[in-house]
Amino acid sequence: MPHRAPSPSRRTLLTVTAAVTAAAVTGVTTPAYAAEDSQDDKLRALLSRMSLEEKVGQLFVMRVYGHSATAPDQADVDANLKEIGVRTAAELIERYHVGGIIYFAWAHNTRDPHQIADLSNGIQRAGLAQATPIPLLISTDQEHGIVCRVGEPATLLPGAMALGAGGSHADARKAAQIAGAELAAVGIRQNYAPVADVNVNPANPVIGVRSYGSEPEAVAALVAAQVKGYQRAGVAATSKHFPGHGDTAVDSHYGLPTITHTRAQWDALDAPPFRAAIAAGIDSIMTAHIVVPALDPSGDPATLSRPILTGILREELGYDGVVVTDSLGMEGVRTKYGDERVPVLALKAGVDQLLNPPNLSVAWNAVLRAVKDGELTEERLDESILRILRLKARLGLFKDPYVSHAEVDRTVGTAAHLAHADRIAERTTTLLVNEGGFLPVSRRSHPKVLVVGADPASPSGTTGPPTTTLAGALTELGFTARALSTGITPTAARIEEAVAAAAGQDLVVVGTYNVTATSPQRTLVARLVATGVPVVTIAIRNPYDVARIRGQRATLAAYSWTDVELRAAVRVLAGQAEPRGRLPVPVQSADDPSKVLFPVGHGLSYA
């Protein structure tokens, strides 16, 4: 198999390529504004040659099942036929002329880096085989932390709230640069990160640790740092979810949240990270399926709101880049209008890219019909398509959309990247409680360790389970560690098994996960504490767990259950690394939310 996909032979592509990249090639002798005008002229010429059907297709970013663009497994062929009416990614592109593809692990797009690179090349070949050859913009949600589509052996990095705890703009920028370089190497050139939501609601079921924290200016600075990191790597960053999803108790995947902030509160709390992203040159901004009455009293979700997307985002904030919807399959955007109306209303509101509609045929034909019926003008479509083409040109996709296996080997999961990830993770781990200076512990003083707790599914499908990872990391440091998975909702029998297993141990480590007032995880910890064996808890997702746990000798916050963060927490626990993280959100009392137990900036040290 050749290392590099063959370049297309179409003379039309070569003509477009030469025209679109002329500015970059001749930049030494051409003024910047003239080069930009020349490139725009060529893109407009390309646009003028597109049929209406091709134009409609460019607006859509669609999922597709399978590890290959032309030869997916039969189960994936069947899923594609059922959901999209095509067999393969190549057929999807041929029929609908989609402008982008989004990768998911559950769609079997991301088995391993070399396979992903081959899939990306196959998708680009299909795009360039069209009557009007246009490369595709391949995207994914690689936030890191708890949302991650490309897993090991790619480098996994701390997520947003962990980076918020680290507080280092340099670390945030470096993490994005590493993440971006590895995505670009496998052909993914648009990443739906960084999250720009300010998480001020501990009960937020959808954002939480995906946010950098609760302080708008701190979040803004880290968003800007990550945008710069992605840009250095040649990947389009996407700040989300505009106008701000950080203060909701409803998950927009399953319902339509309402944000009750006043306009003044929105300006002070939600807007700063988006302003910072725009100032940093953000490539794309993702909309939120939320209602914000202070910004638009109509009751429409922001994704469908012209006052929010055009009035505020474009006209007030001055943003002229690509606007992409959050997934159109989410209930938050489907609640008020049917699937036929949603894509049309989104375009009328000011959206450019329509992401992952539940039924592509319905959505695609609805847009086509809206243009033919005069509800949408072709000029309105051209505005969005030109933004999309400009982004593709800026990323160099017209010049060379393909990736190579050699570049995968040079870039993905390298020793240097993995070492950076470990060091960054160590600087994010936060020591919240340390009664009597119990931590760090040594293998001499506490050689036998029982690890129990929650084992949520790996964000990427390639790491964990957490109890096994924690026990393995302890064993590597010379402890004798045993893992016993007790789950997110441990049964009475499982709790008794854990209590029995604690007998004769020197230490029990409990991985807690989103502990609620009624969670049996509280009973598990209480029963283990009652054995007299010292208990250390590690919050493997939200740091708010510490407000509902009593009796432990120490508590660490890891902010995610991916291996890189769990191993770092173990190194801190064992004194191999100093705890340097500081809370980027306040932890309030579970009994009295007006009382702050641990303020922003709290974090203990060993010194």
Side-chain angles (χ1 to χ4, degrees):
M1 176 182 293
H3 282 312
R4 199 168 189 78
S7 297
S9 59
R10 291 177 170 270
R11 290 212 174 269
T12 47
L13 171 63
L14 294 176
T15 301
V16 170
T17 298
V20 169
T21 60
V25 174
T26 62
V28 174
T29 58
T30 305
Y33 67 85
E36 289 172 6
D37 287 347
S38 174
Q39 176 173 286
D40 237 33
D41 288 344
K42 302 306 180 183
L43 293 175
R44 290 178 190 276
L46 171 62
L47 182 58
S48 71
R49 293 194 294 273
M50 294 168 63
S51 68
L52 177 57
E53 289 76 13
E54 288 172 329
K55 288 181 177 182
V56 170
Q58 277 298 303
L59 302 170
F60 285 93
V61 180
M62 190 59 184
R63 69 188 179 280
V64 66
Y65 291 86
H67 71 287
S68 163
T70 55
D73 294 340
Q74 187 60 47
D76 293 321
V77 170
D78 294 341
N80 285 328
L81 287 169
K82 180 180 179 181
E83 293 188 20
I84 315 173
V86 298
R87 297 169 55 84
T88 67
E91 288 183 14
L92 166 66
I93 294 162
E94 181 182 13
R95 179 176 300 183
Y96 290 104
H97 317 292
V98 293
I101 297 284
I102 179 173
Y103 286 171
F104 292 104
W106 53 260
H108 311 137
N109 304 139
T110 57
R111 289 182 180 177
D112 66 76
H114 286 284
Q115 167 269 317
I116 300 170
D118 287 338
L119 173 61
S120 298
N121 285 340
I123 285 169
Q124 298 297 2
R125 278 194 293 272
L128 299 177
Q130 298 181 93
T132 306
I134 302 175
L136 278 84
L137 188 55
I138 298 171
S139 61
T140 198
D141 292 285
Q142 190 79 347
E143 296 174 14
H144 289 276
I146 72 167
V147 176
C148 214
R149 311 302 189 202
V150 180
E152 294 180 348
T155 305
L156 298 179
L157 293 137
M161 193 170 285
L163 293 172
S168 167
H169 301 166
D171 280 352
R173 186 168 52 251
K174 185 65 176 180
Q177 190 173 352
I178 290 170
E182 298 199 6
L183 289 175
V186 298
I188 299 171
R189 300 300 297 277
Q190 183 179 24
N191 190 21
Y192 298 134
V195 172
D197 303 315
V198 181
N199 198 77
V200 295
N201 188 342
N204 194 322
V206 64
I207 305 300
V209 293
R210 296 169 64 194
S211 164
Y212 297 98
S214 63
E215 301 290 299
E217 298 308 322
V219 173
L222 290 166
V223 165
Q226 291 231 287
V227 169
K228 293 296 187 184
Y230 283 116
Q231 287 172 338
R232 289 183 183 182
V235 166
T238 308
S239 59
K240 60 187 186 184
H241 308 80
F242 189 83
H245 210 315
D247 190 7
T248 174
V250 175
D251 185 341
S252 53
H253 288 84
Y254 309 109
L256 179 58
T258 296
I259 306 293
T260 59
H261 293 177
T262 66
R263 175 59 198 250
Q265 288 174 321
W266 179 82
D267 278 324
L269 180 67
D270 301 291
F274 291 101
R275 292 183 189 275
I278 293 168
I282 189 73
D283 297 288
S284 50
I285 291 178
M286 180 178 284
T287 67
H289 305 326
I290 58 174
V291 173
V292 190
L295 305 184
D296 178 359
S298 70
D300 285 346
T303 298
L304 309 181
S305 169
R306 185 170 179 82
I308 291 175
L309 298 187
T310 297
I312 295 177
L313 180 56
R314 294 219 187 273
E315 294 173 359
E316 290 187 28
L317 301 188
Y319 178 66
D320 192 38
V322 171
V323 174
V324 57
T325 70
D326 205 343
S327 171
L328 297 182
M330 294 164 61
E331 285 303 316
V333 78
R334 303 174 75 190
T335 298
K336 191 174 179 181
Y337 302 100
D339 291 338
E340 268 190 298
R341 293 299 298 153
V342 165
V344 176
L345 293 173
L347 290 168
K348 292 176 77 171
V351 157
D352 301 307
Q353 288 184 308
L354 300 162
L355 177 62
N356 201 27
N359 187 315
L360 179 59
S361 177
V362 167
W364 190 91
N365 281 294
V367 174
L368 184 66
R369 189 163 49 252
V371 177
K372 290 182 176 180
D373 291 347
E375 183 179 7
L376 286 170
T377 66
E378 197 164 346
E379 290 73 23
R380 168 64 192 91
L381 265 58
D382 289 352
E383 290 177 19
S384 287
I385 296 164
L386 190 57
R387 290 190 186 103
I388 295 165
L389 294 178
R390 283 173 182 149
L391 179 54
K392 291 180 178 183
R394 194 158 63 245
L395 294 171
L397 289 171
F398 284 99
K399 182 180 180 182
D400 184 4
Y402 296 116
V403 293
S404 70
H405 287 276
E407 186 63 21
V408 171
D409 290 335
R410 281 194 298 268
T411 308
V412 179
T414 64
H417 285 179
L418 295 172
H420 275 300
D422 283 338
R423 299 291 84 76
I424 292 170
E426 284 178 2
R427 292 190 282 268
T428 70
T429 305
T430 308
L431 180 60
L432 299 176
V433 174
N434 195 19
E435 296 294 340
F438 180 73
L439 294 184
V441 295
S442 74
R443 63 181 184 273
R444 290 176 293 278
S445 61
H446 296 80
K448 293 184 290 183
V449 184
L450 173 68
V451 179
V452 303
D455 275 333
S458 167
S460 63
T462 61
T463 65
T467 54
T468 301
T469 298
L470 291 167
L474 286 161
T475 299
E476 288 176 11
L477 294 180
F479 295 85
T480 302
R482 172 194 172 193
L484 174 64
S485 178
T486 49
I488 295 172
T489 54
T491 63
R494 204 62 166 166
I495 290 172
E496 292 305 321
E497 186 178 353
V499 168
Q505 300 296 305
D506 301 304
L507 176 67
V508 178
V509 173
V510 184
T512 67
Y513 181 95
N514 291 7
V515 179
T516 64
T518 58
S519 173
Q521 292 179 70
R522 300 180 72 188
T523 304
L524 171 68
V525 173
R527 291 293 311 280
L528 288 168
V529 167
T531 67
V533 179
V535 172
V536 172
T537 62
I538 301 177
I540 65 172
R541 184 168 178 168
N542 290 331
Y544 310 114
D545 288 0
V546 69
R548 297 192 182 276
I549 301 293
R550 300 285 185 274
Q552 73 275 30
R553 299 294 296 275
T555 292
L556 291 162
Y559 305 101
S560 175
W561 60 96
T562 52
D563 290 5
V564 67
E565 285 158 301
L566 297 179
R567 290 194 304 262
V570 166
R571 290 195 296 276
V572 170
L573 179 151
Q576 301 297 307
E578 290 287 325
R580 299 182 185 177
R582 299 291 180 265
L583 273 177
V585 293
V587 175
Q588 298 152 324
S589 168
D591 301 320
D592 180 9
S594 67
K595 180 182 178 183
V596 174
L597 297 178
F598 303 103
V600 171
H602 173 79
L604 304 175
S605 63
Y606 293 152

